[in-house]
Amino acid sequence: MYLIREIMHCKPGKVKPMVEKFKAMQLLMQKGSGPKMRIMTDVVAEQYWTIVSEMEVEKLDNFMSMDDMSPEDAKAMGEIMKDYHDHVIEGRREIFKIEG
């Protein structure tokens, strides 16, 4: 089992639109057999306007390839995340193997 954490540092005033994108992505993923996602915003963080999404996956291959997603859902995901760079300054992905 792996924990995948997406960390995004947003531009001022762009946290809410980015959270809405993550929520829409979460609904789309749960429509299929995608992993459950937690969406969090900072209270105190290294940098203001931080969003973190977390999900647990059994295999990294499934996450990286999005094999479980239909072509229609893949297109919808593209629409949801379209122009997300307009909201984000920088981001990174952390992947942890859950040991216990």
Side-chain angles (χ1 to χ4, degrees), residues 36-100:
K36 183 177 180 183
M37 179 191 302
R38 292 187 338 170
I39 304 163
M40 301 166 281
T41 56
D42 68 285
V43 175
V44 177
E46 175 183 320
Q47 185 172 337
Y48 289 120
W49 309 299
T50 299
I51 299 172
V52 178
S53 70
E54 286 185 343
M55 62 191 90
E56 292 183 16
V57 298
E58 199 63 43
K59 298 178 183 178
L60 288 178
D61 291 343
N62 293 354
F63 170 77
M64 299 305 274
S65 67
M66 297 287 184
D67 281 344
D68 295 342
M69 196 170 284
S70 71
E72 296 82 20
D73 288 347
K75 184 177 180 181
M77 183 71 76
E79 283 298 313
I80 290 167
M81 295 309 287
K82 180 181 175 189
D83 300 327
Y84 83 92
H85 289 103
D86 294 343
H87 305 302
V88 175
I89 297 169
E90 64 183 9
R92 71 180 188 274
R93 177 179 290 149
E94 299 175 345
I95 300 177
F96 298 94
K97 183 176 180 187
I98 298 174
E99 300 287 352

